[in-house]
Each structure stands twice: as structure tokens, then as C-alpha cells.
Amino acid sequence: PVNASLQVLNKNRVASFLERFPFIESNQLAQVNFFQQTDGALRENAMNMFHGLIVRYRPKQSIETMIDEVAKLEELLNTAEPVAAVKPAATPKKNEIAISDIEKLYKNRPRKYVNGDLYLQVGRTGIVDADYDITKKTALDSFVTVTPKDALKDGLIDKSEYKEYKKASLIRIYYPKWYKLDTVATPTPTGRGDSLAVKHTKKNPDSTIFKVFERTKWKETAIVGDVTGSMYPYNAQLLLWIKVNSLDSLTRKFVFFNDGDSLPDSKKKLGKTGGIYFKTCNDFEDVKALLKATMLKGGGGDYPENNIEALLKAEKVYPENQFQVMIADNWAPIKDKVLWKQLTKPVRVVLCGATEFNVNIDFLNLARQTKGSVHLIEKDLYDLAALHEGEFLQVGKNSFVVKNGVFVEAGDTGTK
């Protein structure tokens, strides 16, 4: 129901999830987002909506995973097209987008635009007797297989449809799904005439670093970069920027950290975790070698990371800088926040992996503490230190309020 409060229901869903998977602790949940469907008054509309949980997780960091990520970083460097990424073309308006072959193929399909990207509704609809169905005729078909009795009980079919299919042992209910245009490929002939293939492309998850560097034009600073697990796509962007634009377009001073090399978590001490390596580089190969070496020495990184220790090291070895630029992982909280009062230079945080539903509050507070700034893929947050007690900050779908001098979450302001 559109106007119903689902807080108790959603709280119970999270509790049930944690009970089902007891090896997951509640403090391991970096973010929980709730989405409310508001267009399900009709059964046929509700059937096409997703209901359930989506869990995204990262594998535990190890020497093996870091070796794999170094290989992926090299692959990105060898296959990416940095020139187009650094200076992206303006997003065309809806009526200016040319109709591609795939759009022509699905010209009668429902379509929608989300943040400038075109999505097509792909896949069959309808109900069939499972005994007489060709299982998943196309690669993009989605369906559920249930008994007619259970389908009626769960509201997936009505009484007239149950009467039609009640003799079937199982029925298959097909429902369409939304796919981004560039993930749908043209048909591949298979003899059936309707088979589709999903196009998989190896590319960066977003272009945060390209876009931030392009609009900020920073020079003569120190880059402090997180090279722990899952940061390799963003570090590839850093290397590509340098490769195309030269070191002099940014800086020659680099500090990379991996959260303690392979030191066991139990032996890590705040301020002395280690795994921090720095160099004043002369060329692209210098930066690449330093970054890869730091990655390969890591293998025991836990969830929070030693960001402040790395920033303090950068202040020590590069004291002449007016500010520092930290390339940070939005999904990893800051382990050593108790040390950030020791920082004396503003920190400009390039936050990688942030979404409209999740901007890590630790980095907002780091910028506020140091009179720095936070930089997202499409937005720069300056003057965070100027907000007074009780004032609000809106970032995407989330709002934060200054309480006792720091940002705290004020609650999600949007439903979807």
C-alpha cells in the first residue's frame, strides 16, 4: 500500500535474513536500502515487479584475490579507451537519441530513461503448461515455475486462469524485466529465430575519477590512494588519466595503502597498521609500479581501513602541500577515525562507488573535520565545515544533520 508504513515489516525482513545466515553479523551490513513499490494496485502490474532481497558482497581479501585484481587492472589498462572517458560527450536529450538496431528490434516494447540511460522491457509474458514449454526460449526470459494451486494461493493467477491450468502439474509464469540498452545484444541465429545473447563488456563501474579530475583541475597535491580489494577499476582510471594527461596535469607525489600488508587483523594497531608506500614519481611507469607493488603486498585487509594513518604519512613526507586528495572506497568505513584530529591539511575525498542511496558518512565527517571537501561522480560538496549545529545536508536520497559537531544520519528522504 502506497501510504502504509512498512518499517516493522522491513525490520523483520533484515532480522530474518541475519537469522537465515548466522555467519553474517549485523555490523557487516554496510548499507540497507528499502524500496517501496507504488504501482502495484493491479495484479498484472504487481507481477512484473521484483519482491525480495538483493545482497551484494565482496569476497574476503587474500593474496590470491589481489593477484587476480592486479591482472584485472592490467586488462583494463590494455582495453579501455581513456580519451573518450576523460572528455565524455554530453548526454543527448531523449528526442536526439538515434534509434539503434536493437531499439528497432524492440520498438514496440515499453521503455524508460533513468539518469539519461535507456532501458528496454525484454522477455515474454504469459502462462504456459510447463510440460509443453520450451524452457527459457530466450536468454532474457524470466519466469517462475509453480503448481497452479500455489500460484492461485499466492495471487500470481486469478480464478479463471486457475480453472484453465488446474490440470497441469506445474505452470510457468513469464514476466518481463528491464534491461539497460547496452546490455542487450542483437539476436543470435539458433534455428528458433528468437534467441538473444547478453553482451558482457569489461569496463569500469563508473567514471568517478575521470569526471572529478576533469572538472577540478587539481595540481601540485599528493594523491593518497586506497588499493585494497575491489578498488582496482578506480585505480585503473587514475593510471589512465596520468597516461593520457601526464603527471604534470596532476602531481608527482603518490601514497598508496593496502591496510597492513598481510598482517592479521588481530595484530593491527591504530596508527601502526602499515601497508603504506610512497614515492615522488617521474613518469607513468613509476606510478603503475608503485600501485601494483602496494596491491600485491596486501592480502589481509579487513573491512574498515587505515585511511587516516595513510593521510598522516602523506603529511609527513610531503609537508609542502596545501591539501591532499584521497581516492577512497565508499564501501569501506574508516578504521582509525580517532586519529583524524591530528591532520593539519584539508582532505579532498574522491569517493568511489557512492550511489544516490549510499554516501559513506565517515568521509563526509573527514572532510568536515579537515575543512576539506567530498567529490562524487556528478557533484562536489564544499564548505561542509561551515554547516552549523542542527543544519541539514542532502546527498542523493539521504540526509544528514550536524549533531554535536559531526554529521549523523537524519533518515532516508525518498521512497521508490
Side-chain angles (χ1 to χ4, degrees), residues 40 129 189 204 262 317 336 395:
D129 185 331
N204 285 318
S262 295
V317 297
D336 46 4
V395 187

Side-chain angles (χ1 to χ4, degrees), residues 89-99 103 113 115-118:
T91 302
K93 296 180 180 179
K94 294 179 184 178
N95 59 0
E96 294 175 347
I97 296 177
I99 299 178
E103 288 181 81
Y113 289 87
N115 296 329
D117 294 319
L118 174 61

Side-chain angles (χ1 to χ4, degrees), residues 73-146:
L73 181 142
E74 287 282 7
E75 186 175 4
L76 284 174
L77 291 176
N78 293 331
T79 60
E81 298 178 2
V83 174
V86 171
K87 297 182 179 180
T91 302
K93 296 180 180 179
K94 294 179 184 178
N95 59 0
E96 294 175 347
I97 296 177
I99 299 178
S100 65
D101 291 339
I102 194 69
E103 288 181 81
K104 291 177 182 177
L105 179 67
Y106 294 109
K107 64 181 180 180
N108 295 322
R109 280 300 208 176
R111 59 188 58 207
K112 63 181 179 181
Y113 289 87
V114 179
N115 296 329
D117 294 319
L118 174 61
Y119 286 75
L120 300 175
Q121 195 180 75
V122 178
R124 289 184 291 166
T125 59
I127 307 169
V128 295
D129 185 331
D131 293 334
Y132 300 97
D133 186 38
I134 300 175
T135 303
K136 212 161 187 179
K137 287 183 65 177
T138 73
L140 297 182
D141 273 343
S142 300
F143 58 81
V144 292
T145 302
V146 294

